Amino acid sequence: MNLAVAGALYYRWHLGAPIQSLLIAGMIMFFLVNVLVLLTRKKPASTKR
């Protein structure tokens, strides 16, 4: 997911988007992606004996 965000930001930079807005968007997107990955990972099942 992080590579997809980086690829999208590079594409926007290549088209001529301002660097400052790309940096702000990049920080927000990387933060959101990593938080969502942590929230959606499976928790280990507890074993009852």
Side-chain angles (χ1 to χ4, degrees):
M1 288 185 164
N2 286 328
L3 287 176
V5 170
L9 291 173
Y10 175 77
Y11 178 72
R12 295 292 299 172
W13 173 73
H14 187 68
L15 291 179
I19 296 293
Q20 187 173 5
S21 63
L22 287 177
L23 289 175
I24 293 169
M27 287 189 289
I28 292 169
M29 291 303 293
F30 280 114
F31 175 75
L32 286 175
V33 164
N34 289 319
V35 166
L36 289 174
V37 166
L38 289 175
L39 290 176
T40 59
R41 70 178 182 189
K42 292 186 177 183
K43 300 198 176 12
S46 61
T47 56
K48 294 181 180 181
R49 291 183 176 209

